[in-house]
């Protein structure tokens, strides 16, 4: 099937088999930040934004992207780098494998919740698995990032 959609700000027109999952299709398009983890829609590694909402690209078909706007980490390099500094400063990026899906979920959360509480952050990110930490550093990094975005200074 021919599908047309916007990927990271660029119009894409491509062929996709009816049974191709979005994760595989995006990797074929060069979006290697989209990772395969559990293959059961439980780990969050394959998270992308579809129309500014987080979706698990392992659980939807590529043809469902037709007419949609998809953003991967490759399309958010500046934002990801800015937030990534906060992750690193809190020691929350140990192996980095979960970071792309985690970062995508953070930005989806910020689209939905203007000023999330710590409880809302933990609830929103519950679908992201990190085997290196218990999300304490990630939560601290998000809270410091939010404070910074409100006009505060970047803490060391």
């Amino acid at each position: 099937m021919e599908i047309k959609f916007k990927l990271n700000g660029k119009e894409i027109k491509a062929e996709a088999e009816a049974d191709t999952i979005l994760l595989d299709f995006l990797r074929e398009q060069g979006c290697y930040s989209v990772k395969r983890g559990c293959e059961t829609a439980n780990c969050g590694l394959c998270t992308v934004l579809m129309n500014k909402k987080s979706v698990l690209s392992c659980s939807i078909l590529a043809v469902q992207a037709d007419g949609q706007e998809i953003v991967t980490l490759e399309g958010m390099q500046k934002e990801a780098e800015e937030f990534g500094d906060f992750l690193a400063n809190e020691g929350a990026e140990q192996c980095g494998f979960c970071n792309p899906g985690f970062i995508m979920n953070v930005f989806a959360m910020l689209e939905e919740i203007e000023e999330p509480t710590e409880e809302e952050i933990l609830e929103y990110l519950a679908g992201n698995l990190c085997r290196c930490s218990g999300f304490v550093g990630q939560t601290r990094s998000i809270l410091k990032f939010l404070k910074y975005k409100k006009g505060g200074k970047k803490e060391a």
Side-chain angles (χ1 to χ4, degrees):
M1 297 178 81
E2 182 180 270
I3 59 174
K4 299 175 189 173
F5 65 101
K6 194 177 271 190
L7 176 60
N8 297 326
K10 296 178 183 173
E11 294 293 332
I12 300 290
K13 182 176 170 181
E15 289 291 321
E17 295 295 321
D19 63 348
T20 301
I21 61 171
L22 183 59
L23 182 153
D24 292 332
F25 183 80
L26 291 172
R27 290 185 63 83
E28 288 170 10
Q29 302 300 311
C31 298
Y32 299 116
S33 69
V34 185
K35 297 178 182 172
R36 182 180 310 282
C38 65
E39 297 191 55
T40 59
N42 286 308
C43 71
L45 290 176
C46 67
T47 302
V48 299
L49 301 183
M50 180 181 283
N51 302 326
K52 297 185 179 183
K53 299 225 184 263
S54 63
V55 296
L56 298 171
S57 64
C58 74
S59 65
I60 64 173
L61 297 171
V63 296
Q64 291 175 272
D66 191 45
Q68 309 300 319
E69 181 176 356
I70 307 290
V71 177
T72 68
L73 196 60
E74 286 84 358
M76 300 185 69
Q77 286 299 298
K78 183 180 177 197
E79 298 91 338
E81 186 175 320
E82 182 179 46
F83 177 63
D85 286 345
F86 286 85
L87 281 173
N89 289 339
E90 293 302 319
E93 43 70 66
Q94 293 173 23
C95 84
F97 193 67
C98 67
N99 284 358
F102 178 78
I103 291 170
M104 296 308 290
N105 262 325
V106 167
F107 285 103
M109 175 185 66
L110 296 177
E111 282 288 327
E112 290 184 34
I113 307 170
E114 190 174 321
E115 293 186 38
T117 64
E118 187 170 342
E119 185 177 308
E120 288 172 318
I121 290 168
L122 292 172
E123 183 178 319
Y124 200 93
L125 301 176
N128 287 85
L129 296 182
C130 174
R131 303 235 188 301
C132 297
S133 72
F135 288 110
V136 174
Q138 285 93 337
T139 304
R140 275 194 319 261
S141 67
I142 294 168
L143 292 170
K144 287 182 178 181
F145 180 70
L146 291 172
K147 186 177 178 182
Y148 166 74
K149 291 304 262 184
K150 279 179 147 179
K153 292 184 178 179
K154 194 170 185 178
E155 296 178 26

